[in-house]
Amino acid sequence: MSDMNTAMVEKYRNDFLKEVEANVEEGQWVKMCMQCGVCSGSCPLGNAWAHPPQEIFMMIRAGKRDEVLKSDSMWMCTSCYNCIVRCPRELPITHIMHGLATYSKRLGLAPKTQPTSQFSEIFWNNMMKRGRVNELKLGLSLYFKDGFGQGIKNALANQKLGMSMMKAKRMSPAEFFGGHGIKDASGLQKMIKKAEEIELAKLKANT
Amino acid sequence: MAKREYSYYPGCSSQDGASSSNLKRSIDTMCEVLDVKLNEIPDWNCCSASIGYGSGGVLPRMALSARNIALSEQHNAGQDIVATCAACWLATKEAAERFKEDENFFQEANTALAEANLKMTNQTPIRHMCEVLIEDIGYEALSEGVKKPLEGIKIAGYVGCQTNRPFGIAGESFENPMYLDKMVDSLGAEAIPTYEKKVQCCGGALAFSEPERSQEMIKGIIEAAYDNGADMIATPCPLCQANVEIYQDQINERFGTKFEMPVVYYSQLIDVAYGRSAEDAALDGQIIKAKKLDDIAAK
């Protein structure tokens, strides 16, 4: 467990709702949920969530901190925004789910081998290197995330797809050696570092 | 001089050799025939799409969009930002709205931007190419330029998620948007307004991390197109296009189906209807050939 997690537990003790309101993206909306269940019913992967959004909202209010933050539920969000446009009280549900995912990862509570959590991290690191996504390396990192042997297996299973993409000029082996990027990657990295500092300072002020 | 000019944000997947390079090529042709000039935002960066949230907090993610907005203000002053990728459009528009709603947040973004020697005022409208077509050009004008009506092609208009929610196109419903069908009709093809999977999610980024679950959804999208007698699916979204087209082999293997449904972009329909070649319309970028469009283009 991270120091920040310990500090947050210490500070909010029995009030997980308050913790979410203060630290999670759009968390101030959680208390407005009226438990109608439209979000859960509208979610295209609803059946894959251990706890669909409606339940997550209730669990937050019931103080089920570990059950929520260690859950892989939020990582099932496909960002389709069905729940947002259908919520009778217009809660920004998609953003809250993203926010809970970000927060759980920051505190070191997110399940370590959850594939979307891993993919999200791979995507971010890939994009940060040169300021643009390198699709070829993104695909390869995902194939090889569980080791070399599994990576070769995955690559072989997707070989036909890769060949047709290359034939259609929608995948390029040249991307392996550098590839696309922005000119001012160092400026962008400095900018992101600053943004992270600002955000982290706010979280720390809450501990 | 071109009739209309915009500040263009093509996005990562549109680059040469990337998964929707065919979208960019067909958009370039479309803008030629519609007399639209796109000025690419110099040195634009990734928006982090809707999957960056695992590692990127709110401010870092939105700072990415702030940088694009700032660069656009600096180099393409006074021009609306136009995106062709659903995720690029959504991320940029969402960031711009949050900067407007929250002055503190706006200041914080500018503090981060200063590290890259940039500054934004955030006055630029953030628009989708479909809005340009519908609001600035209009269905009637679109239809007037048609040289080869797409007669005899039945098209399932697949709008998908992020072109449609949470912002969508003004005046259109989230549950049953009609604009893609109207575009299809304007080009002389036959739309299927009752295509029930028109706003079904394809899995988005989870097509990579949760392939089985996503492919089950994609299967439904294709199946409904067949059930409605469609010859092909058309979409505005690069990830929808890729997800629904390129996994059909794997879906066939997994579910025992025999899918071979072409999935094209609205811009490719316009290119062909306006008399341009299959190559100009980037139809050579199809994994599953859109034969009926190829035939009209060759006529």
Side-chain angles (χ1 to χ4, degrees), chain A residues 42-88:
Chain A
S42 301
C43 179
L45 280 187
N47 56 3
W49 295 51
H51 309 291
Q54 170 202 10
E55 248 174 74
I56 293 275
F57 291 135
M58 186 49 98
M59 287 164 75
I60 293 173
R61 293 192 293 211
K64 306 263 182 209
R65 185 177 192 272
D66 267 16
E67 289 88 335
V68 170
L69 293 178
K70 290 181 181 171
S71 165
D72 77 343
S73 292
M74 302 82 80
W75 300 99
M76 292 296 159
C77 171
T78 62
S79 305
C80 79
Y81 294 84
N82 254 337
C83 53
I84 283 203
V85 301
R86 288 183 184 168
C87 174

Coordinates of all heavy atoms in Angstrom, one line a residue, chain A residues 42-88:
Chain A
S42 N -27.8 0.5 -19.1 CA -27.4 1.0 -20.3 C -26.0 0.7 -20.7 O -25.6 0.9 -21.8 CB -27.5 2.6 -20.3 OG -28.8 3.0 -20.0
C43 N -25.3 0.1 -19.8 CA -23.8 -0.2 -20.0 C -23.7 -1.4 -21.0 O -24.2 -2.4 -20.7 CB -23.2 -0.5 -18.7 SG -21.4 -0.8 -18.9
P44 N -22.9 -1.2 -22.1 CA -22.8 -2.3 -23.1 C -22.1 -3.5 -22.5 O -22.3 -4.6 -22.9 CB -22.0 -1.6 -24.2 CG -21.3 -0.4 -23.7 CD -22.2 0.0 -22.5
L45 N -21.2 -3.2 -21.5 CA -20.5 -4.4 -20.8 C -21.1 -4.6 -19.4 O -20.4 -5.1 -18.6 CB -19.0 -4.1 -20.8 CG -18.3 -4.4 -22.1 CD1 -16.8 -4.3 -21.8 CD2 -18.6 -5.8 -22.6
G46 N -22.3 -4.1 -19.2 CA -22.9 -4.2 -17.8 C -22.7 -5.5 -17.2 O -22.5 -5.6 -16.0
N47 N -22.9 -6.6 -17.9 CA -22.9 -7.9 -17.3 C -21.5 -8.3 -16.9 O -21.3 -9.3 -16.3 CB -23.5 -9.0 -18.3 CG -22.8 -9.0 -19.6 OD1 -21.8 -8.2 -19.9 ND2 -23.3 -9.8 -20.6
A48 N -20.5 -7.5 -17.3 CA -19.1 -7.9 -17.0 C -18.6 -7.2 -15.7 O -17.5 -7.4 -15.2 CB -18.1 -7.6 -18.2
W49 N -19.4 -6.2 -15.2 CA -19.0 -5.5 -14.0 C -19.3 -6.3 -12.8 O -20.5 -6.7 -12.6 CB -19.7 -4.2 -13.9 CG -19.4 -3.1 -15.0 CD1 -19.5 -3.3 -16.3 CD2 -19.0 -1.8 -14.8 NE1 -19.2 -2.2 -17.0 CE2 -18.9 -1.2 -16.1 CE3 -18.8 -1.0 -13.6 CZ2 -18.6 0.2 -16.2 CZ3 -18.5 0.4 -13.8 CH2 -18.4 0.9 -15.1
A50 N -18.4 -6.5 -11.9 CA -18.7 -7.2 -10.6 C -19.7 -6.3 -9.9 O -20.7 -6.7 -9.3 CB -17.5 -7.4 -9.7
H51 N -19.5 -4.9 -10.0 CA -20.4 -4.0 -9.4 C -20.7 -2.9 -10.4 O -19.8 -2.0 -10.6 CB -19.9 -3.3 -8.1 CG -19.4 -4.3 -7.1 ND1 -20.2 -5.1 -6.4 CD2 -18.1 -4.6 -6.7 CE1 -19.5 -5.9 -5.6 NE2 -18.2 -5.6 -5.8
P52 N -21.9 -2.9 -11.1 CA -22.2 -1.9 -12.1 C -22.3 -0.5 -11.4 O -22.4 -0.4 -10.2 CB -23.5 -2.3 -12.7 CG -24.1 -3.3 -11.7 CD -22.9 -3.9 -11.0
P53 N -22.2 0.6 -12.2 CA -22.1 1.9 -11.6 C -23.1 2.2 -10.5 O -22.7 2.8 -9.4 CB -22.4 2.9 -12.8 CG -22.1 2.0 -14.0 CD -22.3 0.6 -13.6
Q54 N -24.4 1.9 -10.7 CA -25.4 2.1 -9.6 C -24.9 1.6 -8.3 O -25.0 2.2 -7.2 CB -26.7 1.5 -10.0 CG -27.8 1.5 -9.0 CD -28.8 0.4 -9.2 OE1 -28.7 -0.4 -10.1 NE2 -29.9 0.5 -8.5
E55 N -24.4 0.3 -8.3 CA -23.9 -0.3 -7.1 C -22.7 0.4 -6.5 O -22.6 0.6 -5.3 CB -23.6 -1.8 -7.4 CG -24.5 -2.8 -6.8 CD -24.1 -4.2 -7.3 OE1 -23.1 -4.8 -6.9 OE2 -24.9 -4.7 -8.1
I56 N -21.8 0.8 -7.4 CA -20.6 1.5 -7.0 C -21.0 2.7 -6.2 O -20.4 3.0 -5.2 CB -19.7 1.9 -8.2 CG1 -19.2 0.6 -8.9 CG2 -18.6 2.9 -7.9 CD1 -17.9 0.1 -8.3
F57 N -22.0 3.5 -6.7 CA -22.4 4.7 -6.0 C -22.9 4.4 -4.7 O -22.6 5.1 -3.7 CB -23.5 5.4 -6.9 CG -23.0 6.0 -8.1 CD1 -23.7 5.9 -9.3 CD2 -21.8 6.7 -8.2 CE1 -23.2 6.4 -10.5 CE2 -21.3 7.3 -9.4 CZ -22.0 7.1 -10.5
M58 N -23.7 3.3 -4.5 CA -24.3 3.0 -3.2 C -23.2 2.5 -2.3 O -23.1 2.8 -1.1 CB -25.3 1.9 -3.4 CG -26.1 1.5 -2.1 SD -26.6 3.0 -1.3 CE -28.3 3.0 -1.8
M59 N -22.2 1.7 -2.9 CA -21.1 1.2 -2.1 C -20.2 2.4 -1.5 O -19.7 2.3 -0.4 CB -20.2 0.2 -2.9 CG -21.0 -1.1 -3.1 SD -20.2 -2.1 -4.4 CE -18.7 -2.7 -3.6
I60 N -20.1 3.4 -2.3 CA -19.3 4.6 -1.9 C -20.0 5.2 -0.7 O -19.3 5.4 0.4 CB -19.1 5.6 -3.0 CG1 -18.2 5.0 -4.1 CG2 -18.5 6.9 -2.4 CD1 -18.2 5.9 -5.4
R61 N -21.3 5.3 -0.8 CA -22.0 5.9 0.3 C -22.0 5.0 1.6 O -22.1 5.5 2.7 CB -23.4 6.3 -0.1 CG -23.4 7.4 -1.2 CD -24.7 8.0 -1.4 NE -25.6 7.1 -2.1 CZ -26.6 7.5 -3.0 NH1 -26.7 8.7 -3.3 NH2 -27.4 6.6 -3.5
A62 N -21.9 3.7 1.3 CA -21.9 2.8 2.5 C -20.5 2.6 3.0 O -20.3 1.8 3.9 CB -22.5 1.4 2.0
G63 N -19.6 3.3 2.5 CA -18.2 3.3 3.0 C -17.4 2.0 2.7 O -16.5 1.7 3.3
K64 N -17.8 1.4 1.6 CA -17.1 0.1 1.2 C -15.8 0.5 0.4 O -15.8 0.3 -0.8 CB -18.0 -0.7 0.3 CG -19.3 -1.1 0.9 CD -19.3 -2.4 1.6 CE -20.6 -2.8 2.2 NZ -20.4 -3.7 3.4
R65 N -14.9 1.1 1.1 CA -13.7 1.6 0.4 C -12.9 0.6 -0.4 O -12.6 0.7 -1.6 CB -12.8 2.3 1.5 CG -11.6 3.1 0.9 CD -10.9 3.8 2.0 NE -9.9 4.7 1.4 CZ -8.7 4.4 1.0 NH1 -8.3 3.1 1.2 NH2 -7.9 5.3 0.5
D66 N -12.5 -0.5 0.3 CA -11.6 -1.5 -0.3 C -12.4 -2.2 -1.4 O -11.8 -2.4 -2.5 CB -11.3 -2.6 0.7 CG -9.9 -2.2 1.4 OD1 -9.5 -1.1 1.2 OD2 -9.3 -3.1 2.0
E67 N -13.7 -2.5 -1.2 CA -14.5 -3.2 -2.2 C -14.6 -2.4 -3.5 O -14.6 -2.9 -4.6 CB -15.9 -3.5 -1.7 CG -15.9 -4.6 -0.6 CD -15.7 -4.0 0.8 OE1 -15.1 -2.9 1.0 OE2 -16.2 -4.6 1.8
V68 N -14.6 -1.1 -3.4 CA -14.7 -0.2 -4.6 C -13.4 -0.1 -5.2 O -13.2 -0.3 -6.4 CB -15.3 1.2 -4.2 CG1 -15.2 2.1 -5.4 CG2 -16.8 1.0 -3.8
L69 N -12.4 0.4 -4.4 CA -11.1 0.8 -5.0 C -10.3 -0.4 -5.5 O -9.5 -0.3 -6.4 CB -10.3 1.6 -4.1 CG -10.9 3.0 -3.8 CD1 -10.0 3.7 -2.7 CD2 -11.1 3.8 -5.0
K70 N -10.5 -1.6 -4.9 CA -9.8 -2.8 -5.4 C -10.6 -3.6 -6.5 O -10.1 -4.6 -7.0 CB -9.5 -3.7 -4.2 CG -8.5 -3.2 -3.3 CD -8.2 -4.1 -2.1 CE -7.2 -3.5 -1.2 NZ -7.0 -4.3 0.1
S71 N -11.8 -3.1 -6.8 CA -12.6 -3.8 -7.8 C -12.1 -3.5 -9.2 O -11.4 -2.5 -9.5 CB -14.0 -3.2 -7.7 OG -14.8 -3.5 -8.8
D72 N -12.3 -4.5 -10.1 CA -12.0 -4.3 -11.5 C -13.1 -3.7 -12.3 O -13.0 -3.6 -13.5 CB -11.4 -5.6 -12.1 CG -12.5 -6.6 -12.5 OD1 -13.6 -6.5 -12.0 OD2 -12.2 -7.5 -13.3
S73 N -14.2 -3.4 -11.6 CA -15.4 -3.0 -12.2 C -15.2 -1.7 -13.1 O -15.5 -1.8 -14.3 CB -16.5 -2.6 -11.2 OG -16.9 -3.8 -10.6
M74 N -14.6 -0.7 -12.6 CA -14.5 0.6 -13.3 C -13.7 0.4 -14.6 O -13.9 1.1 -15.6 CB -13.8 1.7 -12.5 CG -14.5 2.0 -11.2 SD -14.1 0.9 -9.9 CE -12.5 1.4 -9.3
W75 N -12.9 -0.6 -14.6 CA -12.0 -0.9 -15.8 C -12.8 -1.5 -16.9 O -12.2 -1.8 -18.0 CB -10.8 -1.7 -15.3 CG -10.0 -1.1 -14.3 CD1 -10.0 -1.3 -13.0 CD2 -9.0 0.0 -14.5 NE1 -9.1 -0.5 -12.3 CE2 -8.5 0.3 -13.2 CE3 -8.5 0.7 -15.6 CZ2 -7.5 1.3 -13.0 CZ3 -7.6 1.6 -15.4 CH2 -7.1 2.0 -14.2
M76 N -14.1 -1.8 -16.7 CA -14.9 -2.4 -17.7 C -15.6 -1.3 -18.5 O -16.3 -1.5 -19.5 CB -16.0 -3.3 -17.1 CG -15.5 -4.5 -16.5 SD -14.8 -5.6 -17.8 CE -13.7 -6.6 -16.7
C77 N -15.3 0.0 -18.1 CA -16.0 1.1 -18.9 C -15.4 1.2 -20.3 O -14.1 1.3 -20.4 CB -15.8 2.4 -18.1 SG -16.3 3.8 -19.0
T78 N -16.2 1.2 -21.3 CA -15.7 1.3 -22.7 C -15.7 2.8 -23.1 O -15.4 3.1 -24.3 CB -16.6 0.6 -23.7 OG1 -17.9 1.1 -23.6 CG2 -16.6 -0.9 -23.3
S79 N -16.2 3.7 -22.2 CA -16.3 5.1 -22.6 C -17.3 5.4 -23.7 O -17.0 6.1 -24.6 CB -14.9 5.7 -22.9 OG -14.0 5.5 -21.9
C80 N -18.4 4.7 -23.6 CA -19.4 4.9 -24.6 C -20.4 6.0 -24.3 O -21.1 6.5 -25.2 CB -20.2 3.6 -24.8 SG -21.5 3.3 -23.5
Y81 N -20.4 6.5 -23.1 CA -21.2 7.6 -22.7 C -22.7 7.4 -22.7 O -23.4 8.4 -22.6 CB -20.8 8.9 -23.4 CG -19.3 9.3 -23.2 CD1 -18.3 8.8 -23.9 CD2 -19.1 10.3 -22.2 CE1 -17.0 9.1 -23.6 CE2 -17.7 10.7 -21.9 CZ -16.7 10.1 -22.6 OH -15.4 10.5 -22.4
N82 N -23.1 6.2 -22.8 CA -24.6 5.9 -22.7 C -25.1 6.4 -21.3 O -26.1 7.0 -21.3 CB -24.8 4.4 -22.8 CG -25.4 4.0 -24.1 OD1 -26.0 4.8 -24.8 ND2 -25.2 2.7 -24.5
C83 N -24.4 6.0 -20.3 CA -24.8 6.3 -18.9 C -25.0 7.8 -18.7 O -25.9 8.3 -18.1 CB -23.9 5.7 -17.9 SG -22.2 6.1 -18.1
I84 N -24.0 8.6 -19.3 CA -24.1 10.1 -19.1 C -25.3 10.7 -19.7 O -26.0 11.4 -19.1 CB -22.8 10.7 -19.7 CG1 -21.6 10.5 -18.8 CG2 -23.0 12.2 -20.0 CD1 -20.5 11.5 -19.0
V85 N -25.6 10.3 -20.9 CA -26.7 10.9 -21.6 C -28.1 10.4 -21.1 O -29.1 11.1 -21.3 CB -26.7 10.8 -23.2 CG1 -25.4 11.4 -23.7 CG2 -26.8 9.4 -23.7
R86 N -28.1 9.3 -20.4 CA -29.4 8.7 -20.0 C -29.7 9.0 -18.5 O -30.8 8.9 -18.1 CB -29.4 7.2 -20.2 CG -29.5 6.9 -21.7 CD -29.6 5.4 -21.9 NE -29.7 5.0 -23.3 CZ -29.5 3.8 -23.7 NH1 -29.4 2.8 -22.9 NH2 -29.6 3.6 -25.0
C87 N -28.7 9.4 -17.7 CA -28.9 9.6 -16.3 C -29.9 10.7 -16.1 O -29.7 11.8 -16.5 CB -27.6 9.9 -15.6 SG -27.8 10.4 -13.9
P88 N -31.0 10.4 -15.4 CA -32.0 11.4 -15.2 C -31.5 12.7 -14.4 O -32.1 13.8 -14.6 CB -33.1 10.7 -14.4 CG -32.8 9.3 -14.5 CD -31.3 9.2 -14.8

